[in-house]
Structure formats: C-alpha cells, structure tokens
Amino acid sequence: MTFGFAPSSAASLSTSATSANRMLEPAEWAAAGIPLLRNPREVVSGLHARHHPQPATAVVAVLDPDDRLRASASFIRRPAPADGWMFRNVLLAQLRRVIPHDLRRRTPVRTAVLLYCREGDGSWTEEDGAWMWGLRDACTLHGLRCGAYITLTRDGWQVLGEGRGGRRPNATSSREPFATSEAPPPLPRTGGAASEILRRAAAR
C-alpha cells in the first residue's frame, strides 16, 4: 500500500501546513479519555507473537470488552511524510478488511489499538502524533472506541500517554509463543467417572 504523491514545491508548503493539524500532541491524547488496557503486556506480547513486527510495521487490532483479541492486521508504512489523514485511510481500510463495523450501535463496545514498530526510542514524535490522529478518526468512522497507541522500539514497548511499558518484546525480539489469550484449552482432569468412560472406550 503506497502513501502520498509528489506535489509541486508550492503545494508542498500548503500540504505540510495542513498535515501539521492532523496530529495529536501528547496532552491532547491524554485528555481524549483513551481507555486503559487491563494487561498491556499481554496485548503487546500477543500481537508480537502473531505478527512479529519489524521497524516501519504497524499492527492494528480490535479487542472485545474483556480485552480479548478479536481481529488484527499488520502492514508496512511506506516512506512518505507523516500525515494523519493518510494514516487514517490505511487504518480504516485494514479494519474494514478484518472486522465488520459497529456503526449501528449507540455506544461502541469494541476497542481498536495500534502498535507501531519503529526506530528510535519510545518518546513521542510527530509521526506518533499523526498515527494517533489517524487511529482516533478511523475508530470513529468504523464505530469503535479509540484505544491505546503503543510504540515498539529496540528499547522495548511503551503505551504512550500512560507511562506503562516494558523491555520485552522489543523491535529485535524473536518470535515468541502466543500470549495467554491465545493459549490452548486446559487438559482434562484425570480420575472420576469421565476418565473411566474414556478408558473403556479406548480399550474397545
């Protein structure tokens, strides 16, 4: 998926001025009432295990009211100026591809979160601000709650605006098993009438 085009120099000045308004500063993001993740480490680990993002990879995911993963998609961010409107469009296209919209609901019940793997440290950048703007707008257009924005760098992961993070996984981590939300069902208990029935069936 390709972002942007090559405008004239005059158009570039106009575009950059407009793009500056399509990003959210950390204070604006903090004031937006973004719901906190119950277990951010589990969400990050699960998305990392599923998509194994490398730098310049974005992972958008939809969580149910219990923070269980319902759908996710990953894609590469093409080299182009950071623009929240373009980010909004690509996020909305990915959401439409993996899960039906919730526009008929009065109140959103599912939440979209965005994990972006990039170079540098975990502190806020203008590119992060453009992703935040794009995520918020894409959620509105798809009938979802806007959830956490998470950066993944060589230093680890960071939920921007919350001050929560960790060292693993990070941008250089190898693929790990799925998180507990993806774990297989527990093995049946041994002993009792059920075990006796299974033993007799196996003996036939």
Side-chain angles (χ1 to χ4, degrees):
M1 204 166 293
T2 305
F3 290 162
F5 52 90
S8 66
S9 57
S12 296
L13 293 174
S14 176
T15 301
S16 61
T18 304
S19 298
N21 296 323
R22 294 195 288 250
M23 67 174 60
L24 294 177
E25 299 281 346
E28 295 175 295
W29 184 255
I34 305 300
L36 299 179
L37 290 170
R38 296 179 187 177
N39 191 336
R41 184 183 301 277
E42 183 175 313
V43 171
V44 173
S45 297
L47 293 179
H48 182 271
R50 181 179 289 270
H51 296 278
H52 197 215
Q54 302 298 308
T57 302
V59 182
V60 61
V62 178
L63 310 178
D64 70 10
D66 295 320
D67 276 5
R68 289 190 296 257
L69 180 64
R70 288 304 175 208
S72 63
S74 62
F75 55 94
I76 302 296
R77 182 242 203 270
R78 302 299 182 189
D83 186 333
W85 183 78
M86 292 183 179
F87 289 171
R88 184 277 306 274
N89 289 345
V90 71
L91 288 171
L92 189 57
Q94 295 294 330
L95 288 170
R96 287 171 173 166
R97 185 172 65 85
V98 298
I99 199 163
H101 67 74
D102 276 349
L103 293 172
R104 293 185 181 89
R105 293 181 178 273
R106 286 189 174 184
T107 304
V109 296
R110 296 185 293 190
T111 304
V113 300
L114 179 62
L115 182 148
Y116 183 53
C117 182
R118 61 169 173 76
E119 301 290 353
D121 58 30
S123 57
W124 183 88
T125 66
E126 289 189 354
E127 182 184 24
D128 295 324
W131 279 118
M132 289 170 168
W133 191 97
L135 176 63
R136 185 187 65 178
D137 220 39
C139 288
T140 299
L141 294 174
H142 206 63
L144 302 170
R145 290 197 309 170
C146 179
Y149 174 72
I150 306 160
T151 58
L152 187 70
T153 66
R154 294 178 182 273
D155 296 334
W157 56 273
Q158 180 79 21
V159 184
L160 293 193
E162 292 188 20
R164 294 192 289 177
R167 293 186 178 181
R168 293 188 66 85
N170 55 55
T172 60
S173 295
S174 58
R175 189 183 296 272
E176 298 178 356
F178 283 140
T180 54
S181 59
E182 304 285 342
L187 294 174
R189 291 178 296 175
T190 58
S195 293
E196 180 64 19
I197 293 172
L198 290 174
R199 186 188 65 76
R200 291 178 180 175
R204 288 176 186 170

